[in-house]
Amino acid sequence: TASSLICGGTDLTFPDVNDTFVWIYNGTSWYLISTIDNTATAQTGNTDLAELFPSQETLEAGHVVKVDGTTPNHVKKSDSTYDNSILGIVATAPGIVLGEETENSYPIALAGRVPVMVDPNSPAIQPGDHITSSDEPGTARKSEQAGATIGIALESWIPGSGDSEVMVFVNRSWYEPESQFVLNTDGSLA
């Protein structure tokens, strides 16, 4: 059922009473700063948080993206392993979308569960493995050394299986594999 909010010269129509609207009051006026379509989220079960970013490239759901260093506020497909400028994954159907939709904008998952395209040359992936960017543009791979990561695998992936994606929990961070230190008999590091 739709309802309305009388706002003087402009009336707002709310599509569903279950939606969430975030307002800010500056002491004089109220401003609408965000809306969340709770009905659509509840119906689809989508669980990721995405923000809209423009790109000069054509992107697909599941692509790993990084900051476009040549165009401010834009993203492009990641194209190197352990890329420090990786930002997120192009969302399939985000539960919450932030930002303003513009021409050539894409929802970039910044948190939550999303499928990511896997480089066919990646080592096998197990649940809990850290996932990083690959030198195959827009794809991800298992992280095997210290470096920037885009998330944590939630399922297995086996090379040659025919699967091209793996579900990950997006969590942009730094992976540091366990290190082992060996002491010499005099107490110094080997």
Side-chain angles (χ1 to χ4, degrees):
T1 304
S3 55
S4 295
L5 177 63
I6 309 305
C7 296
T10 304
D11 297 340
L12 300 175
T13 300
F14 299 106
D16 191 295
V17 295
N18 294 320
D19 291 347
T20 302
F21 298 87
V22 179
W23 298 84
I24 190 167
Y25 182 66
N26 70 359
T28 306
S29 303
W30 285 96
Y31 296 93
L32 178 66
I33 60 170
S34 177
T35 62
I36 300 172
D37 183 351
N38 291 327
T39 304
T41 302
Q43 290 173 349
T44 61
N46 299 332
T47 57
D48 59 303
L49 168 68
E51 184 173 350
L52 293 166
F53 284 89
S55 181
Q56 294 183 348
E57 298 180 342
T58 300
L59 302 176
E60 297 178 26
H63 274 151
V64 177
V65 296
K66 68 178 189 173
V67 174
D68 185 340
T70 60
T71 309
N73 300 311
H74 281 60
V75 295
K76 66 181 189 176
K77 287 181 258 186
S78 64
D79 56 3
S80 62
T81 307
Y82 303 98
D83 191 333
N84 283 327
S85 62
I86 54 176
L87 185 66
I89 300 167
V90 179
T92 307
I96 299 172
V97 180
L98 305 173
E100 183 179 342
E101 188 166 355
T102 61
E103 185 177 350
N104 301 321
S105 65
Y106 296 88
I108 306 304
L110 305 175
R113 293 176 285 178
V114 294
V116 66
M117 293 182 183
V118 179
D119 179 347
N121 297 313
S122 172
I125 296 171
Q126 298 300 318
D129 284 345
H130 290 263
I131 304 299
T132 190
S133 55
S134 169
D135 56 5
E136 181 69 31
T139 65
R141 64 178 287 114
K142 177 181 178 177
S143 182
E144 298 180 291
Q145 65 185 46
T149 60
I150 196 64
I152 298 171
L154 296 173
E155 60 186 5
S156 297
W157 178 86
I158 300 169
S161 66
D163 293 331
S164 61
E165 296 178 335
V166 66
M167 186 65 73
V168 300
F169 179 79
V170 179
N171 181 20
R172 172 64 172 89
S173 61
W174 183 268
Y175 173 65
E176 189 71 41
E178 293 181 29
S179 299
Q180 294 184 354
F181 296 100
V182 177
L183 294 177
N184 293 323
T185 56
D186 65 357
S188 63
L189 290 176

